[in-house]
Amino acid sequence: MPMHVGLDAAGLITSVGPTLAKLIEGPLPLKVAFLKVFEVRRPAGITSIETLRERAGARLHVNLRGKGDAFRGLAVPTQGGGILLNLSFGIRLIDAVRQHALTDADFAPTDMAVEMLYLVEVKQAVMTELRRLNLSLQGAKATAEQQALTDTLTGLRNRRALQMALPALIAQGVDFALMHIDLDYFKQVNDNFGHAAGDVVLRAVADALAVETRASDTLARVGGDEFVVLLPGLSDTTRLAQIARRIIDQVMQPIEFESTTCCISASIGLTISTLYDGPDAARMLCDADNALYAAKRAGRAQVKFYQPHIDLSAVTDDLKTA
Amino acid sequence: MHGLINRSIQCFLRDTYGAAVWMEIARKAGLGFDNFEPLLTYDASLTESVIEAAAQHLQRSRETVLEDLGTYLISHPNLEALRRLLRFGGVGFLDFLHSLEDLQEHGRLGLPDLEVPEFSLTDQGNGQFLLRVSQLIAGVGHVTVGLLRAMADDYGALVVLDHVGIESGQELVAVLLLDHAYSQGRRFDLALPVG
């Protein structure tokens, strides 16, 4: 047995297996007391050869003194009062193999050490592949999210979708209106009732937009509480003002969240493609945004149209009455 | 067929002939993708299509392509893990040859759904062996010849290998072991170095 230690009745070492001899390095401690070379850590209290003999058959935890090596072992009595110990590396096998450059020949044919090393490498190889697969799936997921056109919270289109839909609409050459909506008092809802309440409000606004617009309109949430609506075929300001007003009224309906009621409103800025010789997506978004800014400045729940050739501070005529 | 097997074929073609050639073979095989995932399972017909497309595109016989695949599996640095796993089979080439009979079970230890061909070895005396390999794919014997040749080099053994036919669903490989310690062979440490 390559990992055995034989003791005589006095507890002196009479033989050492070749693998253990390798670990001891230096002259074999024959005729030396076992407990001077090794320390029995567990069970506690094994300080003499008699106490070791009493624990024959028990699982022993043994250290090689002066080295880092720890073993599991078994002691069995032999004829003539001696003891035969068989040791193994247990779970520290890999470190031991590495540290002492052990080979197949260093293990007993009955020892499963090599099989364990094999399994560890199989596990490592499979884990490496799993990790790679996970990373690649994670990358694919990120790409898919990036390419997604839907705002996951409200189910409306997102900014990316708007950036594709607006130029497409311009290219079609039909007249259309662009509505930029920003919620009033949304920050208060978030601050007072938390983000969960804010999310409920945003979903309620999305529902309100869906109710007040046509299926052919594009509804997008483009920021925290900002929405853009594209209304193809609509360029009549009176009609648009009515729609905008209805959206605001709808949004102003109290929204129940748990035991509280959230009240918000909305400001709306509008621009129409017929105001431009050649409509440009960025320009229209900017103009609608400026009209929205004017609506905000005019107080909450207002609707303003972009007015070309007029200084921004003089954006005219709110449409309260429309 | 297990993704690991498909992936091995993909890596063999890519590492040996370049990414562009692999992409072209994947296209000709009508895969619809250019990357096998090693832990997924694919329809067996895809494996067949890739082997066919590879032989055609490279203008080499199916046998040669498969034999090169076998050699690649052992000798390419990218697949060092596989070489190591096979080296656990034994201290010398003869041990390794016998360990092939356990290969199926060893494979299942790691990946329970991995298809591994069944090997059975007959010792005919005087260093002659007959290895029967179950036909996981047609030409599995040629993969085996390539693989054994590379493993013999790895162990430093001198062998003569021959694909000698097919018999009731098993491909026959004749092994003549001339010298088990012909050259130094490659080093094998039981434990991987740290890092």
Side-chain angles (χ1 to χ4, degrees):
Chain A
M1 291 191 295
M3 296 273 288
H4 85 275
V5 190
L7 312 183
D8 63 14
L12 303 182
I13 296 176
T14 55
S15 65
V16 175
T19 304
L20 263 188
K22 214 181 215 182
L23 306 192
I24 289 169
E25 297 168 340
L28 281 186
L30 296 175
K31 304 281 173 215
V32 180
F34 171 74
L35 289 169
K36 278 199 171 145
V37 183
F38 293 91
E39 174 199 7
V40 181
R41 273 190 308 123
R42 277 189 287 161
I46 298 186
T47 49
S48 67
I49 199 66
E50 289 72 28
T51 46
L52 178 61
R53 195 176 286 119
E54 281 164 22
R55 303 312 296 255
R59 174 190 287 230
L60 306 174
H61 291 253
V62 179
N63 284 359
L64 183 56
R65 289 185 193 274
K67 309 259 178 190
D69 299 287
F71 310 94
R72 273 187 347 208
L74 175 73
V76 289
T78 54
Q79 283 181 343
I83 294 176
L84 179 65
L85 281 115
N86 194 18
L87 303 180
S88 95
F89 289 107
I91 204 70
R92 299 195 48 230
L93 172 70
I94 295 168
D95 290 338
V97 169
R98 197 172 283 143
Q99 201 179 336
H100 302 292
L102 301 179
T103 71
D104 279 32
D106 290 316
F107 296 99
T110 49
D111 198 322
M112 294 295 277
V114 176
E115 281 76 3
M116 179 164 154
L117 292 169
Y118 167 83
L119 271 183
V120 168
E121 287 201 26
V122 167
K123 188 212 71 173
Q124 232 169 34
V126 173
M127 290 296 285
T128 306
E129 279 308 328
L130 266 180
R131 202 171 302 123
R132 205 192 50 72
L133 178 59
N134 271 332
L135 281 176
S136 101
L137 289 178
Q138 209 171 36
K141 181 168 169 269
T143 309
E145 276 170 358
Q146 210 186 5
Q147 289 171 352
L149 301 176
T150 307
D151 169 43
T152 46
L153 177 65
T154 60
L156 301 182
R157 313 260 78 188
N158 60 14
R159 178 180 284 278
R160 199 182 128 81
L162 177 75
Q163 278 163 353
M164 289 162 74
L166 182 53
L169 193 56
I170 292 171
Q172 278 174 32
V174 291
D175 295 343
F176 67 95
L178 188 157
M179 193 182 275
H180 194 171
I181 305 166
D182 187 88
L183 303 185
D184 305 324
Y185 315 115
F186 181 71
K187 188 174 180 305
Q188 284 88 321
V189 171
N190 262 341
D191 290 350
N192 296 337
F193 308 117
H195 287 282
D199 288 352
V200 168
V201 166
L202 290 171
R203 286 198 200 99
V205 171
D207 290 344
L209 288 175
V211 168
E212 298 303 337
T213 56
R214 305 159 302 170
S216 56
D217 298 334
T218 298
L219 312 179
R221 175 169 169 243
V222 297
D225 61 343
E226 282 182 60
F227 300 82
V228 168
V229 183
L230 302 179
L231 304 119
L234 274 178
S235 56
D236 175 59
T237 49
T238 314
R239 177 97 178 82
L240 285 165
Q242 281 170 352
I243 296 172
R245 195 69 248 164
R246 283 213 310 268
I247 288 173
I248 293 173
D249 291 345
Q250 193 60 241
V251 166
M252 287 175 78
Q253 298 295 318
I255 300 160
E256 300 295 331
F257 173 72
E258 289 171 1
S259 55
T260 60
T261 304
C262 308
C263 290
I264 57 159
S265 73
S267 299
I268 296 181
L270 278 149
T271 190
I272 305 165
S273 63
T274 50
L275 295 174
Y276 307 85
D277 284 340
D280 170 76
R283 170 92 197 280
M284 286 187 72
L285 283 169
C286 177
D287 290 343
D289 191 49
N290 284 334
L292 171 67
Y293 182 66
K296 282 267 181 199
R297 289 211 314 182
R300 306 296 189 225
Q302 303 297 310
V303 178
K304 292 284 186 191
F305 280 85
Y306 163 67
Q307 306 279 329
H309 317 304
I310 291 176
D311 183 52
L312 212 127
S313 58
V315 170
T316 52
D317 193 23
D318 79 53
L319 284 141
K320 255 185 246 178
T321 52
Chain B
M1 189 77 67
H2 201 280
L4 197 59
I5 294 170
N6 291 309
R7 173 78 168 199
S8 307
I9 301 174
Q10 170 188 334
C11 290
F12 157 63
L13 292 169
R14 189 199 59 199
D15 294 346
T16 313
Y17 301 104
V21 170
W22 158 245
M23 302 279 241
E24 185 56 21
I25 291 170
R27 199 187 59 75
K28 281 190 174 160
L31 290 187
F33 55 87
D34 54 21
N35 201 29
F36 282 108
E37 278 302 338
L39 295 176
L40 303 180
T41 305
Y42 297 86
D43 194 282
S45 66
L46 292 185
T47 314
E48 197 49 45
S49 307
V50 170
I51 297 171
E52 280 301 314
Q56 203 180 43
H57 184 77
L58 301 170
Q59 295 191 309
R60 309 184 65 190
S61 70
R62 182 188 173 94
E63 290 73 24
T64 315
V65 171
L66 290 176
E67 189 174 323
D68 288 353
L69 167 65
T71 306
Y72 165 86
L73 292 177
I74 304 306
S75 55
H76 199 280
N78 286 359
L79 278 88
E80 171 71 4
L82 179 64
R83 174 188 89 95
R84 284 192 54 83
L85 290 179
L86 288 171
R87 280 289 297 249
F88 275 106
V91 187
F93 185 74
L94 188 58
D95 281 343
F96 163 73
L97 210 52
H98 282 287
S99 78
L100 286 175
E101 294 196 327
D102 301 328
L103 197 63
Q104 211 173 36
E105 273 159 52
H106 270 130
R108 282 196 195 126
L109 269 180
L111 294 165
D113 52 352
L114 177 65
E115 305 97 333
V116 178
E118 198 178 331
F119 292 85
S120 65
L121 187 73
T122 314
D123 189 342
Q124 298 170 320
N126 295 324
Q128 290 189 56
F129 300 86
L130 187 65
L131 188 61
R132 292 164 197 274
V133 193
S134 68
Q135 246 182 338
L136 181 64
I137 52 172
V140 71
H142 296 284
V143 182
T144 308
V145 167
L147 190 141
L148 289 184
R149 188 161 287 141
M151 279 309 275
D153 282 351
D154 214 89
Y155 277 110
L158 184 63
V159 293
V160 178
L161 298 155
D162 264 314
H163 190 294
V164 291
I166 303 173
E167 200 179 277
S168 52
Q170 293 183 315
E171 300 197 12
L172 309 182
V173 175
V175 183
L176 177 59
L177 178 54
L178 293 169
D179 187 349
H180 64 88
Y182 175 72
S183 67
Q184 187 71 42
R186 271 169 81 192
R187 190 185 158 94
F188 177 68
D189 294 323
L190 270 186
L192 277 171
V194 186

